[in-house]
Amino acid sequence: MAVAPLFRPIDVAPAYQKVADAIEREIVNGRIKPGDPIGTEHDLVRQFGVNRSTIREGIRVLEEGGLIRRDSSRRLHACLPRYSKLASRLSRALVLHEVTFRELYEASMTLEVASIEGAVERATEENIAELTDNLARSEAVVGNPAALAECDAEFHVLVAKASQNRVLQLAREPAAQLFYPTTEMIVTGVAEGGPRLVAAHRHLIDAIRRRDREAGVLWTRRHLQDWRRGFEKIANLDRSVEHMYMEHAQAARRR
Amino acid sequence: MAVAPLFRPIDVAPAYQKVADAIEREIVNGRIKPGDPIGTEHDLVRQFGVNRSTIREGIRVLEEGGLIRRDSSRRLHACLPRYSKLASRLSRALVLHEVTFRELYEASMTLEVASIEGAVERATEENIAELTDNLARSEAVVGNPAALAECDAEFHVLVAKASQNRVLQLAREPAAQLFYPTTEMIVTGVAEGGPRLVAAHRHLIDAIRRRDREAGVLWTRRHLQDWRRGFEKIANLDRSVEHMYMEHAQAARRR
DNA sequence: TACTGTCCCTTTGTCCGACAAAGTTAGAGT
DNA sequence: ACTCTAACTTTGTCGGACAAAGGGACAGTA
């Protein structure tokens, strides 16, 4: 029998962690604003009184977390974590957890419907212009699966943006990133896939413009069901997301 | 006019980045399985042929990304990125982007309803047992706002888990983490808040047990509307999520 | 047998000093 | 006012060093 727990484990974070935490605190609580320069490594050495190696380890942590970046000249400054970078972390996690396309499909059905509802309600003229521009570019590349898949991904990002809800925008992204590569495969394999995809986008923009919620939801559902039907022609919905998809995510993260 | 592109930009990533990428690739494509040891820093020095400082910077990157961890004896091994850790990154990003409680509320309404729908459809006996256990603990601490808020957060995690949809589980978490601190404030400030919260949970478990989708959705909506009413008594829904909430996220991440 | 204390080896966290490459700044020259 | 060059600074990497903590083996003790 173990003794009754009398003490909690004490917290002795290593120095590099403390450095990272200290800088993170300043950024998160707003004393350092996005864009503000953090000093040079040498500055930080002086301020924290630790070795440059230690500082550098701390910096790596923050850089990976997206809280600081190095600009063109490699100087450090604070920045707002980019959704797409965070989302690709999540996508990676989903791959490692071997989620199935069925889970992806189900969750996306919810998330994309919520996006379109928000977009129908609150899209601005500028949002609609962006969507229209995207549609024009999609129509131009309807015969090119890779380019069309990219346009499709962008289209749905724009819809989410038009919803003016950043929580939703962020929540849908990881699943959407995993969809992207399959879209290319489907458009390649299913002859009428490309035109149907573009037609759905047209109807969605139209629904947003007319503030027609029913139509928006309907066409989002159809659009996703199209994806599903196409997917089931080439693979099983219960298969787990494959490792190959990570290439895309990795490339995207680097940007 | 630019000359025809003859060369692709060559990859000049720093060495620590290449180290991190190389290890990441092995983990993501499955050659290193979660739990497998990575070897000591010295091993990696030998394998990659770079200095230990460089290896360590690469390790920090992977550690922060959640792909590798150090066990009790500080040895490195691969691991599955934990949802809660990733989610707290996202929560932090949402705070920095100054999202409003309205966005949080709207997105959660969608995500929590989807969770309960999944749970009603697919909850296992074990899921229900966990929820019931949570309910019992909630009832025991109904007079203690902090403890009750924690139980509430856990309850909704369990509902999402019962949906058997890990994409949904992950998508809802960031928003949920930002809710948590307000729940405590509300239960503290609104007298009947605690009992109503527990009652809603009871109805939700009941709906799951009876596979009654309508009831599940209804009570989830009510539960969230209760939160909203409570929140509006103490603050404006259009206020941005405050920096103070990061303390919670930070503490959670450390675990 | 079960527990304790000890010695040794490994590993990590941190430090120091160094240097090449790339970027920045200031000054010279036109 | 503009360009070119020569310092100077900063980053990325390296080699080597050491204290502290963990793990293992081994002996001593109750």
Side-chain angles (χ1 to χ4, degrees):
Chain A
M1 195 60 167
V3 301
L6 192 52
F7 299 111
R8 299 264 116 243
I10 59 175
D11 174 30
V12 279
Y16 72 86
Q17 209 23 285
K18 289 185 175 175
V19 167
D21 286 350
I23 298 175
E24 169 176 343
R25 250 197 312 283
E26 295 305 291
I27 295 176
V28 167
N29 70 22
R31 264 199 286 282
I32 300 179
K33 298 229 175 310
D36 286 0
I38 316 289
T40 66
E41 294 178 2
H42 192 59
D43 289 338
L44 296 174
V45 167
R46 273 197 301 271
Q47 294 182 53
F48 286 103
V50 296
N51 192 271
R52 190 157 76 98
S53 308
T54 306
I55 294 289
R56 282 174 65 82
E57 289 189 35
I59 286 174
R60 293 297 159 244
V61 171
L62 295 172
E63 238 174 357
E64 179 67 7
L67 279 178
I68 69 180
R69 308 183 63 164
R70 313 196 90 110
D71 61 20
S72 60
S73 73
R74 292 185 182 153
R75 263 194 260 284
L76 295 167
H77 53 84
C79 70
L80 255 50
R82 320 226 1 95
Y83 289 157
S84 63
K85 176 174 175 172
L86 294 171
S88 68
R89 285 281 119 68
L90 293 188
S91 302
R92 187 177 67 186
L94 291 176
V95 170
L96 287 172
H97 283 268
E98 301 183 306
V99 301
T100 65
F101 281 102
R102 186 182 297 280
E103 289 171 275
L104 226 47
Y105 174 75
E106 241 197 48
S108 291
M109 188 58 96
T110 294
L111 292 163
E112 299 300 336
V113 165
S115 288
I116 195 77
E117 285 177 337
V120 164
E121 197 171 328
R122 289 185 294 270
T124 65
E125 279 308 315
E126 194 188 335
N127 293 141
I128 295 176
E130 285 174 334
L131 285 163
T132 307
D133 175 67
N134 173 283
L135 180 62
R137 279 181 286 124
S138 300
E139 282 165 343
V141 297
V142 74
N144 176 346
L148 186 59
E150 195 164 339
C151 279
D152 179 59
E154 188 193 312
F155 181 86
H156 294 286
V157 168
L158 291 174
V159 169
K161 192 175 154 202
S163 79
Q164 317 291 348
N165 186 322
R166 287 159 294 176
V167 179
L168 207 51
Q169 230 169 302
L170 187 57
R172 64 164 288 286
E173 186 100 3
Q177 281 192 9
L178 293 177
F179 262 102
Y180 169 54
T182 66
T183 304
E184 179 178 343
M185 291 163 56
I186 292 169
V187 174
T188 304
V190 181
E192 76 283 13
R196 281 185 71 90
L197 184 149
V198 174
H201 287 192
R202 201 175 2 247
H203 280 106
L204 285 170
I205 293 179
D206 196 47
I208 292 173
R209 202 177 262 127
R210 300 200 331 267
R211 308 276 173 203
D212 183 343
R213 179 176 155 145
E214 294 302 312
V217 172
L218 179 71
W219 279 101
T220 298
R221 288 224 149 90
R222 280 200 190 149
H223 192 31
L224 270 161
Q225 280 157 4
D226 268 356
W227 172 88
R228 178 173 171 163
R229 259 193 294 276
F231 183 84
E232 287 184 315
K233 281 187 190 161
I234 56 179
N236 185 331
L237 208 58
D238 283 309
R239 262 189 48 198
S240 76
V241 176
E242 297 284 343
H243 291 124
M244 52 178 259
Y245 295 123
M246 288 318 296
E247 295 165 22
H248 291 267
Q250 222 164 30
R253 185 146 20 93
R254 215 65 77 213
R255 273 181 244 129
Chain B
M1 198 58 168
V3 301
L6 191 53
F7 300 111
R8 297 267 114 242
I10 59 173
D11 177 26
V12 281
Y16 72 87
Q17 190 56 262
K18 288 186 174 176
V19 168
D21 286 351
I23 298 175
E24 170 177 341
R25 249 194 315 281
E26 295 306 290
I27 295 177
V28 168
N29 70 21
R31 265 199 286 281
I32 300 179
K33 297 225 177 312
D36 286 359
I38 303 291
T40 67
E41 294 178 2
H42 193 57
D43 290 336
L44 296 174
V45 166
R46 273 197 301 271
Q47 295 182 52
F48 286 103
V50 297
N51 193 272
R52 191 157 75 98
S53 308
T54 306
I55 293 288
R56 283 175 64 81
E57 288 188 35
I59 286 175
R60 293 296 159 243
V61 171
L62 295 172
E63 237 174 0
E64 180 67 6
L67 280 177
I68 69 179
R69 309 183 62 164
R70 314 197 90 112
D71 62 17
S72 61
S73 73
R74 293 184 183 151
R75 264 191 260 282
L76 294 169
H77 54 85
C79 70
L80 255 51
R82 321 225 357 96
Y83 289 157
S84 64
K85 176 174 175 170
L86 294 170
S88 67
R89 286 280 119 64
L90 293 188
S91 302
R92 186 177 67 183
L94 291 174
V95 169
L96 287 172
H97 283 268
E98 300 182 308
V99 303
T100 65
F101 282 102
R102 186 182 299 280
E103 288 171 275
L104 226 46
Y105 173 75
E106 240 196 50
S108 292
M109 187 60 94
T110 294
L111 292 164
E112 299 300 335
V113 166
S115 289
I116 195 78
E117 286 177 337
V120 165
E121 196 171 325
R122 289 184 294 269
T124 65
E125 279 308 313
E126 194 189 335
N127 293 141
I128 295 177
E130 285 175 333
L131 285 163
T132 307
D133 175 66
N134 174 283
L135 181 62
R137 280 181 287 122
S138 300
E139 283 167 342
V141 296
V142 74
N144 177 347
L148 186 58
E150 196 164 340
C151 279
D152 180 58
E154 189 193 311
F155 181 87
H156 294 286
V157 169
L158 291 174
V159 170
K161 191 174 155 203
S163 79
Q164 318 291 347
N165 187 320
R166 286 159 296 175
V167 180
L168 206 52
Q169 228 168 303
L170 186 57
R172 63 165 288 286
E173 187 100 2
Q177 281 191 10
L178 293 177
F179 261 103
Y180 169 56
T182 65
T183 304
E184 179 179 343
M185 291 163 57
I186 292 169
V187 173
T188 304
V190 181
E192 75 283 13
R196 281 184 72 90
L197 185 149
V198 174
H201 287 191
R202 201 174 2 246
H203 280 107
L204 285 170
I205 293 179
D206 196 49
I208 293 173
R209 202 177 263 128
R210 299 200 331 268
R211 309 275 173 204
D212 183 342
R213 179 176 154 145
E214 294 302 312
V217 172
L218 179 70
W219 280 99
T220 298
R221 289 224 148 87
R222 280 201 189 150
H223 193 31
L224 271 161
Q225 280 158 2
D226 269 357
W227 173 87
R228 178 174 171 161
R229 259 194 292 277
F231 182 83
E232 287 184 314
K233 281 186 188 162
I234 56 178
N236 185 331
L237 207 56
D238 283 309
R239 264 190 47 198
S240 77
V241 176
E242 296 284 343
H243 293 123
M244 51 180 262
Y245 296 122
M246 288 317 297
E247 296 165 21
H248 291 268
Q250 222 165 28
R253 184 147 21 94
R254 214 66 75 212
R255 270 181 246 127

